[in-house]
Amino acid sequence: MSRLAPRVAGLAAVFALGASAALAQGYDSEDETITLPSDPRLWHNSPPLSLDSLEGKGVVFYFFEEESPAVAQQWPSLLAQAKTYEGKPILFVGVNSGSDPRVLKRYLASYRVNWPVIHDYDRSLESAMGLPKLSTATNVFAVTYLSGEGTRGDGKGADFAATAEAALKGASWKVDPAAIPRPLMSAWRDVELGDYKRPARALNRAAKTKDESEKTAADQLLSVIEKEATAVATQAAEALKSNDNWAAYKHLDTMLQRFDGYEFPILERAETKHDELAKTDPIKDELSAAKLLNKAVATGSKGTPSAVKRAKGVLRRLIADHPSSEAAAKAQEYLATLDG
């Protein structure tokens, strides 16, 4: 697929920090706002995951202070317990608020932590989950979970296995792994975790193979992916009907990024409308503002005093130059976070 209109890289990422999109459909948020960061720089050991892509899975979140010796001692046991759940529809995700991602990367390598880990540098996820602030002096870790049936709960104290079992309640796979031949297992895992872009080439090739088992499995997985793409297209269509062109553009942008590499007719139509909207002045203004917000987030996430100062300057310029944009509202919230 071509990309005719200019786009801000990681457009969704600039709205994933501070107060952002509502909790993914299917999870009981109790009117709280929870989102996972979509900026790849805030993830270790995994591409960005979303609650949408994890819907129907059990997810255990382990918030930890990397400077705590007690946490360091726990890792071998936690990793061993998580390994016993291999093959089941559950994911273990670490969350750390360390200020330097390079330090965190070395820490994870040192303790052989292979889980997806979020760099929650501004503690927005910790706060959204309603957890007490972690520190080396008091709480050094906290556990919470999202179950497969859509409920959220606190971890069962130090009983990690009980928490995992609670998260597994109602959890299931999109496609039964028993029906997937070995050559497509990697693609299947990607699809189950909502990473649709990476397996595109393998699935398109397998759909045309003479091997019936691979072709059947590829068709099943492609059907799941097309259904997901259609759901995003429906959201974009509803936004257009409501004359909310910016919301429609964001849905279409998400669609073109997440499902790049597939040949679904719906994607061709989405690209045409996306490029049409990108030429309008209101969308241009929103994109310019989003670019500045992305710059501020990238700068501020470094955590140093000078970086935070520069980020604040970019945010103030954004608010002055694009006062009616969605990014300006997010910039106000982000400024409050940095000032706090």
Side-chain angles (χ1 to χ4, degrees), residues 302-326:
K302 297 175 182 177
T304 64
S306 60
V308 170
K309 183 178 180 180
R310 292 197 302 274
K312 288 180 178 180
V314 175
L315 293 169
R316 293 189 180 102
R317 176 156 59 93
L318 186 167
I319 294 167
D321 293 348
H322 308 278
S324 62
S325 67
E326 181 182 13

Side-chain angles (χ1 to χ4, degrees), residues 147-196:
S147 76
E149 63 183 12
T151 58
R152 181 160 60 89
D154 294 328
K156 310 296 182 181
D159 194 340
F160 197 69
T163 301
E165 291 300 327
L168 270 171
K169 191 173 182 180
S172 63
W173 299 117
K174 296 172 185 175
V175 177
D176 185 349
I180 305 299
R182 185 174 295 276
L184 290 181
M185 285 303 295
S186 177
W188 170 79
R189 292 190 190 96
D190 289 336
V191 172
E192 288 291 340
L193 294 179
D195 185 357
Y196 302 130

Side-chain angles (χ1 to χ4, degrees), residues 81-299:
Q81 289 184 70
K83 192 173 180 61
T84 66
Y85 289 90
E86 283 186 355
K88 295 184 178 181
I90 187 171
L91 185 71
F92 298 90
V93 178
V95 185
N96 176 260
S97 58
S99 60
D100 190 335
R102 293 168 297 182
V103 172
L104 178 57
K105 184 177 181 179
R106 290 194 294 269
Y107 175 90
L108 298 176
S110 175
Y111 292 100
R112 299 181 180 181
V113 179
N114 56 3
W115 298 352
V117 174
I118 298 170
H119 179 206
D120 188 32
Y121 76 95
D122 61 354
R123 297 183 181 271
S124 58
L125 184 57
E126 179 183 297
S127 176
M129 289 285 193
L131 299 174
K133 186 175 181 179
L134 269 62
S135 73
T136 53
T138 54
N139 305 307
V140 296
F141 77 91
V143 184
T144 187
Y145 68 88
L146 298 172
S147 76
E149 63 183 12
T151 58
R152 181 160 60 89
D154 294 328
K156 310 296 182 181
D159 194 340
F160 197 69
T163 301
E165 291 300 327
L168 270 171
K169 191 173 182 180
S172 63
W173 299 117
K174 296 172 185 175
V175 177
D176 185 349
I180 305 299
R182 185 174 295 276
L184 290 181
M185 285 303 295
S186 177
W188 170 79
R189 292 190 190 96
D190 289 336
V191 172
E192 288 291 340
L193 294 179
D195 185 357
Y196 302 130
K197 185 175 180 178
R198 184 160 53 179
R201 181 177 298 178
L203 291 177
N204 288 333
R205 181 173 61 247
K208 299 174 183 177
T209 187
K210 294 181 179 179
D211 185 305
E212 283 301 318
S213 64
E214 287 189 31
K215 185 178 187 308
T216 299
D219 287 342
Q220 281 185 284
L221 293 170
L222 287 169
S223 178
V224 168
I225 297 169
E226 186 170 19
K227 182 179 179 181
E228 295 286 343
T230 300
V232 180
T234 299
Q235 292 177 311
E238 290 173 351
L240 287 171
K241 287 181 182 178
S242 301
N243 294 317
D244 191 345
N245 288 352
W246 176 232
Y249 180 89
K250 288 188 293 180
H251 287 309
L252 293 170
D253 193 77
T254 296
M255 204 175 159
L256 294 176
Q257 291 190 52
R258 288 188 71 197
F259 304 100
D260 187 25
Y262 296 97
E263 300 175 356
F264 309 138
I266 197 170
L267 293 178
E268 295 298 329
R269 296 193 294 271
E271 184 174 17
T272 298
K273 188 62 181 180
H274 171 275
D275 294 344
E276 176 186 315
L277 289 172
K279 296 174 183 177
T280 64
D281 289 337
I283 302 302
K284 287 180 180 178
D285 183 70
E286 291 282 3
L287 288 173
S288 295
K291 187 174 182 179
L292 287 173
L293 183 56
N294 196 30
K295 180 179 179 180
V297 168
T299 302

